[in-house]
């Protein structure tokens, strides 16, 4: 394959700091055979296909490192209940929330789940995203959790996108295991993980560590098994309360701890020590009208990389915009523009263990890039309900 030289762009490499006002033509990018082969000024032109980027902003393609886009049904009725003042925890305790999505998801085949999820995936891709993490967690039986991850793998065939799958059977306790959380972890979360792993369906293992879900003690056997299988782990922790899930997961070298509104400075220290990324999810914070902010200053002080993701799910974050996610990271969490952009690129890739695969414009990495009709990163983050994507470039090819 001939190489392609991407010229006349304002290139944001996301390799370290973010240039506030990158100059057009200061850097060029050479891609070949799906990868970036060189980045620099004045690269040789002979024999290459030249793409004039028209002075536009060229960034690494967004990585959405935390989503639940595969699910059945709709929970807008719960949105109306919350408007009437019913809290999320009460809706969940009364059989709504994750269990409502479980009932709808269990009724669906792989094909039906793919059809239901494709519009959500397409919204993500329309903003340049080239990598999407997809969790199970609405099946809550071995069979239905496997069906969800088969649908996630099928989505990767239906579109030009990299999909990472995450086993999240430990998301909620289904009614048939009421009062028997340890049996659920053994018979569904662990037994199902074995089966899913054997089928090549699992890239990482996750859980919901929360008062309405599971405690660290209940989750330990699952994380031990993940470790024995050589699978990386993540966790939903300290979202609604402080249950200690973050420190627990750090002891397993977790790739990421996600949500973290109630995390402490000690949690930040533990994350720094284990190289765990803080995945912040402002869509859920916004939708639940949370008031406790994640400890961004403590993450900065400890040197914990912060990522941002949509957490796209039918209840607490019905959000399919990575651009709005950045805007919320800035406005709600007071992250800087550079932190927001790193949060959906290099740091999001790290949260998936893909830091050497995608998320930066650097030689050796996949040529996953987004070309935007703006001049500066701040213009990407500042506006609301505005999609300036000019082109999505997945593995060196213009795909949107
Ligand atoms: N935390 C969340 O925000 C979602 N899952 C989780 O563990 C909520 C999922 C839902 O309400 O459907
Ligand atoms: Fe989530």
């Amino acid at each position: 394959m001939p190489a392609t030289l991407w010229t006349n762009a304002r290139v944001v490499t996301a390799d370290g700091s973010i240039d506030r006002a990158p100059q057009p033509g200061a850097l060029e990018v050479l891609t070949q055979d799906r990868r970036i082969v060189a980045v620099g000024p004045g690269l040789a032109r002979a024999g290459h296909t030249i793409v004039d980027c028209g002075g536009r902003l060229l960034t690494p393609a967004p990585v959405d490192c935390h989503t639940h886009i595969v699910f059945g049904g709709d929970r807008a009725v719960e949105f109306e209940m919350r408007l009437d003042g019913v809290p999320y925890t009460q809706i969940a305790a009364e059989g709504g929330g994750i269990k409502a999505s479980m009932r709808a998801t269990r009724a669906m085949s792989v094909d039906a789940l793919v059809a239901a999820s494709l519009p959500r995936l397409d919204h993500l891709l329309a903003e340049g995203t080239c990598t999407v993490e997809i969790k199970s967690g609405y099946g809550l039986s071995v069979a239905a959790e496997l069906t969800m991850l088969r649908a996630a793998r099928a989505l990767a065939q239906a579109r030009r996108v990299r999909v990472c799958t995450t086993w999240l059977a430990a998301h909620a306790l289904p009614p048939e295991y009421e009062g028997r959380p340890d049996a659920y972890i053994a018979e569904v979360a662990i037994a199902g993980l074995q089966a899913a792993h054997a089928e090549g369906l699992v890239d990482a293992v996750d859980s919901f560590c929360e008062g309405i879900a599971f405690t660290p003690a209940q989750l330990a056997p699952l994380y031990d098994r993940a470790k024995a299988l050589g699978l990386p782990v993540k966790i939903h922790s300290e979202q609604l309360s402080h249950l200690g899930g973050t420190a627990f997961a750090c002891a397993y070298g977790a790739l990421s701890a996600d949500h973290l509104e109630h995390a402490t400075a000690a949690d930040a220290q533990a994350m720094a020590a284990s190289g765990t990324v803080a995945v912040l999810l402002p869509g859920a914070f916004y939708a639940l009208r949370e008031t406790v902010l994640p400890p961004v200053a403590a993450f900065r002080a400890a040197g914990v990389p912060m990522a941002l993701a949509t957490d796209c799910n039918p209840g607490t974050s019905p959000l399919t915009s990575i651009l709005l996610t950045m805007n919320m990271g800035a406005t709600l969490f007071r992250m800087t523009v550079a932190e927001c952009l790193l949060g959906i690129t290099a740091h999001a890739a790290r949260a998936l263990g893909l830091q050497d695969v995608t998320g930066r414009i650097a030689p050796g990495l996949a040529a996953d890039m987004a070309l935007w009709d703006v001049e500066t990163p701040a213009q990407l983050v500042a506006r609301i309900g505005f999609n300036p994507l000019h082109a999505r470039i997945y593995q060196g090819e213009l795909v949107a």
Side-chain angles (χ1 to χ4, degrees), residues 16-379:
S17 66
I18 301 260
D19 189 348
R20 292 164 65 98
Q23 295 304 305
L27 291 177
E28 296 171 321
V29 181
L30 189 68
T31 63
Q32 187 170 29
D33 296 335
R34 304 184 182 188
R35 288 170 190 269
I36 297 160
V37 292
V39 182
L43 298 177
R45 289 172 144 57
H48 301 153
T49 304
I50 310 284
V51 178
D52 185 336
C53 296
R56 296 181 180 87
L57 192 75
L58 185 69
T59 69
V63 173
D64 196 345
C65 68
H66 180 140
T67 87
H68 310 248
I69 61 167
V70 171
F71 61 82
D74 176 89
R75 286 175 26 215
V77 65
E78 292 181 12
F79 174 73
E80 292 190 280
M81 290 170 76
R82 292 202 306 275
L83 287 177
D84 278 341
V86 186
Y88 175 64
T89 45
Q90 185 182 333
I91 292 170
E94 291 172 354
I98 294 168
K99 287 176 200 163
S101 293
M102 174 204 77
R103 290 189 291 276
T105 302
R106 281 184 177 179
M108 289 170 77
S109 64
V110 171
D111 288 349
L113 282 172
V114 168
S117 308
L118 263 178
R120 294 186 278 271
L121 179 61
D122 284 338
H123 274 275
L124 298 178
L125 303 190
E127 290 184 350
T129 293
C130 283
T131 302
V132 180
E133 184 257 16
I134 302 177
K135 302 176 192 295
S136 70
Y138 290 118
L140 310 183
S141 69
V142 172
E145 290 287 302
L146 289 171
T147 299
M148 284 188 71
L149 291 190
R150 288 178 192 134
R153 289 281 193 239
L155 287 170
Q157 299 304 313
R159 293 291 184 271
R160 304 295 310 276
V161 64
R162 180 181 298 98
V163 168
C164 296
T165 53
T166 300
W167 180 255
L168 178 60
H171 196 197
L173 199 59
E176 61 272 23
Y177 280 93
E178 198 63 51
R180 298 188 296 132
D182 295 332
Y184 176 76
I185 293 293
E187 294 166 19
V188 178
I190 293 177
L193 172 61
Q194 293 279 152
H197 178 60
E199 200 178 313
L201 292 173
V202 184
D203 296 325
V205 175
D206 196 354
S207 70
F208 190 18
C209 184
E210 189 56 65
I212 56 171
F214 299 95
T215 65
Q218 291 162 350
L219 293 168
L222 172 66
Y223 281 60
D224 289 340
R225 187 61 61 97
K227 197 174 175 183
L229 293 172
L231 289 167
V233 299
K234 320 167 75 68
I235 194 159
H236 288 66
S237 56
E238 334 304 353
Q239 179 187 7
L240 308 169
S241 62
H242 192 282
L243 217 62
T246 307
F248 161 77
C250 286
Y252 289 86
L255 287 176
S256 71
D258 302 33
H259 287 290
L260 298 170
E261 280 84 343
H262 294 263
T264 62
D267 292 324
Q269 293 293 342
M271 292 171 71
S274 56
T276 300
V277 176
V279 177
L280 306 182
L281 305 168
F285 176 91
Y286 169 85
L288 294 176
R289 291 208 186 85
E290 294 292 342
T291 52
V292 178
L293 288 163
V296 164
F299 295 138
R300 279 188 197 124
V304 175
M306 291 179 281
L308 286 166
T310 61
D311 192 16
C312 176
N313 75 62
T316 60
S317 190
L319 169 63
T320 46
S321 171
I322 201 75
L323 290 170
L324 181 54
T325 301
M326 280 202 293
N327 177 270
M328 287 177 167
T331 303
L332 299 176
F333 294 169
R334 297 177 187 261
M335 293 167 69
T336 66
V337 165
E339 286 171 337
C340 291
L341 197 53
L342 286 169
I344 66 156
T345 56
H347 293 171
R350 181 171 292 278
L352 298 174
L354 297 180
Q355 61 272 20
D356 297 324
V357 174
T358 191
R360 291 172 291 134
I361 297 182
L365 272 67
D368 300 346
M369 303 184 287
L371 192 58
W372 310 93
D373 272 318
V374 299
E375 294 183 357
T376 67
Q379 291 169 343

